[in-house]
Amino acid sequence: MSVIVLKPGLLSTLQDAGRPGHAALGVGRAGAMDGPALQLANALVGNVDNEAAIECTLLGPTLKFIEATVIALTGATIEASVDGRPIPMWTRCQLPAGSVLQLGGMSVGCRSYLAVGGGFDVAKVLGSRSTDLHARLGYANGRALRAGDALPTGACTSQASMHHNDELTSLPWSIDPHPWFDFAFRPLALLAGKHSALLDKRSQQILHDGKFVLSKDSNRTAGRLDGHTLSLRQPLELISEATLPGTLQLPPSGQPIALLAEAPVTGGYPRIGQIAVVDLPRLAQRRPGDAVCFRPSTLDDAVRRLHEREQRLGKLIQTIQRRLRLDRTAH
Amino acid sequence: MTRSAAPPISAVPPAVQWEAMAENALLLRFGDTIDSSLNTCVHAATAHLRERLPTLEYVPAYASVLLRFDPAHWPALEERSPHQQLGDAVIAALADLSTAATASALIEIPVLYDGPDLTDVAALTGFSIEDVIVRHGAVEYRVAMLGFAPGFPYLLGLDPALAVPRRTDPRQRVPAGSVAIGGRQTGIYPTELPGGWQLIGRTPLQLFDVAADVPSLLAAGDRVRFRAIDRATFQQIAKARSA
């Protein structure tokens, strides 16, 4: 079972839920930038765990499926066709052997996820198949996919439910992307950071009322925010301490930097905020040039929203699993 | 979001503070300076907490340690947030922390002192190249933390006379194994990385290997000594490693 990369797209990487447990060695988690989108793609193809999927960025890859395979696409709205026939997102599609899946541009959002039944079965590195481009860990020493890569896929539990014909088919139902994708670019919840109070008055106001723009100079490690420079009341000399995805740093240039999935584990810049975990997937779906605004949030509110989202996501995944079982019985 | 731990505990000098850094993370701070005794305290506390609260992930740094946890495992009870509960549990667990010196590994790092910035470091410090090498190898260092990249050790203990500013033009590619000085710190680049520290030498040892049972040669808290070697020895060790 394998999938051949014909064209790699702009930046396509294998990602799973990440690489926890090694931060004390200087190894960050990496993993999918939009976690719920990864989980839903896996659920739709019948994968129980968070198997590795392809995270596409702005322009997707073209892939050839050697064997018949079930796939699902979630995340940013991406052009997708199999041998010239458009296929739907947020559902499960069955591809006949030899299919060529062409993923194009994204009309909204920045990152789409392609899961396959059984997951992409590349070797785990420190317990994860995530590509960490910054630390060069994961598939092929932590690089993005290239033309010619042959990606093995794992044994697919839902494969048995497939029709044994050569038709391209999709399920008669799909899930509603609206709860999982922020089409409106709403403000992101921002918790206070250790040094928030040291921003000067103007900067504090801008941080919560101003509109920033995601810089072209952004990647999986950090999103740089253009539009306003911020300043502290006085310069600070700090010693390095732990940083996290979502940490909003202020380097001496005054341009705020939001750390993302590949955040280094330590850093020494002033921390002027912490983006709520629940809103990180929404930031991950902003593309360079998109607006980024913040609203102040309390820790309790952020914890509550995260808890609610996890419960909603868990329930939806259970519903998907039940419906997939029913479909199988019906066949 | 900084809150004082109440009450401050006497066994861990100075007062420990915890800060709710994110929904899933609590930062325990022992101080705000680069100081050997503070850092020792950080590592003693980390080891102590790892035994008592093993499900958390710990990220020790110079004077702080981050605790990453799953807030779902600490549901709010009687109006006390997950962070308050965890913060209390941590402070309680630290009550019987002994700050007595604990055994830590001493690792010798062979270095061929032939770095491209060695002449600059000598000029900046006013020492001869030989003196720079002797002074760099004369002391015992301690791994304050691993960060920046997998297995990159920030070492405490550099002779203050060897402190030199970072390069104004950072390199895009610093070779793996490079031993470098950046400000008052010294460290080793485990893999080829971009970097702005002054390169004084290189070690043939592999500092980080994902395939090894213990991927990092050094761990936070370890003691380190540098030993000057010649080119032939460097090649011998490098050859033995790749065999």
Side-chain angles (χ1 to χ4, degrees), chain A residues 69-238:
Chain A
T69 313
V70 292
I71 66 160
L73 278 165
T74 61
T77 311
I78 189 169
E79 289 170 30
S81 61
V82 172
D83 299 314
R85 291 171 60 193
I87 58 161
M89 292 184 65
W90 303 92
T91 186
R92 192 180 73 172
C93 300
Q94 181 187 318
L95 273 48
S99 295
V100 173
L101 169 67
Q102 195 174 351
L103 297 174
M106 296 170 193
S107 56
V108 57
C110 188
R111 292 177 171 94
S112 307
Y113 293 85
L114 170 75
V116 298
F120 288 101
D121 193 19
V122 301
K124 286 187 179 183
V125 174
L126 298 176
S128 162
R129 296 187 176 92
S130 273
T131 301
D132 188 332
L133 297 165
H134 167 80
R136 289 188 221 147
L137 299 176
Y139 173 69
N141 293 319
R143 65 159 168 80
L145 298 182
R146 283 184 195 155
D149 284 345
L151 307 172
T153 58
C156 178
T157 48
S158 58
Q159 210 83 357
S161 72
M162 296 198 341
H163 311 276
H164 286 283
N165 59 24
D166 294 333
E167 287 289 299
L168 167 68
T169 56
S170 56
L171 292 173
W173 53 271
S174 63
I175 54 176
D176 177 8
H178 280 84
W180 309 106
F181 193 89
D182 176 20
F183 292 92
F185 291 173
R186 289 184 304 260
L188 308 174
L190 188 69
L191 309 174
K194 166 84 175 155
H195 308 106
S196 300
L198 301 178
L199 286 167
D200 63 29
K201 223 176 200 140
R202 181 195 67 95
S203 299
Q204 291 199 20
Q205 198 174 359
I206 291 172
L207 187 56
H208 289 130
D209 302 334
K211 189 169 105 178
F212 295 89
V213 173
L214 190 68
S215 156
K216 284 198 294 288
D217 197 12
S218 298
N219 51 30
R220 283 178 41 84
T221 301
R224 286 161 203 276
L225 304 181
D226 289 336
H228 303 279
T229 49
L230 306 180
S231 37
L232 299 175
R233 284 201 295 268
Q234 60 199 47
L236 267 182
E237 267 302 311
L238 298 172

Side-chain angles (χ1 to χ4, degrees), chain B residues 8 25 27 30 50 52 65 73 87 94 96 110 126 135 141 145 174 183 200 217:
Chain B
L27 190 75
F30 295 80
R50 268 199 182 113
R52 285 155 184 81
V65 55
H73 292 164
L94 287 177
D96 62 340
R135 280 176 179 262
Y141 299 89
M145 61 177 179
V174 172
I200 58 170
L217 176 67

Side-chain angles (χ1 to χ4, degrees), chain A residues 19-29 125-126 134-137 191-195 237 239-245 247 264-266 271 274-279 299-300 302-303 306-307, chain B residues 1-3 19-25 27 29 32-34 50 57-64 66 68 71-72 81-83 145-152 154 192-193 208 210 215-216 218:
Chain A
R19 191 172 280 116
H22 305 284
L25 302 181
V27 178
R29 295 197 177 191
V125 174
L126 298 176
H134 167 80
R136 289 188 221 147
L137 299 176
L191 309 174
K194 166 84 175 155
H195 308 106
E237 267 302 311
I239 61 170
S240 287
E241 58 188 25
T243 54
L244 289 167
T247 300
V265 298
T266 56
R271 301 200 320 255
Q274 182 74 33
I275 300 166
V277 170
V278 68
D279 282 346
L299 184 64
D300 288 348
V303 170
L306 179 63
H307 184 63
Chain B
M1 285 204 303
T2 303
R3 307 174 204 190
E19 173 195 339
M21 189 164 150
E23 297 91 313
N24 51 11
L27 190 75
R29 190 178 277 109
D32 54 11
T33 53
I34 297 182
R50 268 199 182 113
E57 180 169 10
Y58 296 86
V59 193
Y62 284 117
S64 63
L66 182 82
R68 285 189 80 163
S81 72
H83 294 78
M145 61 177 179
L146 300 174
F148 171 55
F152 186 103
Y154 288 84
E192 184 184 278
L193 289 162
F208 195 80
V210 286
S216 181
L218 300 174

Side-chain angles (χ1 to χ4, degrees), chain B residues 105-239:
Chain B
L106 173 64
I107 291 141
E108 191 184 74
I109 309 274
V111 184
L112 172 61
Y113 285 98
D114 69 344
D117 300 326
L118 195 55
T119 337
D120 286 355
V121 172
L124 285 163
T125 55
F127 294 123
S128 67
I129 287 176
E130 290 70 30
D131 283 348
V132 170
I133 295 171
V134 167
R135 280 176 179 262
H136 192 257
V139 293
E140 190 176 285
Y141 299 89
R142 187 173 277 264
V143 181
M145 61 177 179
L146 300 174
F148 171 55
F152 186 103
Y154 288 84
L155 301 177
L156 281 173
L158 183 71
D159 182 341
L162 289 182
V164 286
R166 291 168 178 77
R167 289 171 55 86
T168 46
D169 52 336
R171 289 184 172 87
Q172 284 304 309
R173 288 164 177 228
V174 172
S178 294
V179 175
I181 296 176
R184 297 187 60 170
Q185 308 167 97
T186 186
I188 310 162
Y189 288 81
T191 46
E192 184 184 278
L193 289 162
W197 288 19
Q198 310 272 5
L199 311 184
I200 58 170
R202 59 205 161 107
T203 177
L205 298 185
Q206 183 168 10
L207 264 78
F208 195 80
D209 178 7
V210 286
D213 288 340
V214 182
S216 181
L217 176 67
L218 300 174
D222 283 350
R223 294 173 297 143
V224 168
R225 264 187 176 280
F226 292 108
R227 175 170 62 92
I229 55 169
D230 59 18
R231 199 165 299 271
T233 314
F234 181 96
Q235 279 158 357
Q236 208 176 0
I237 299 173
K239 207 170 154 189

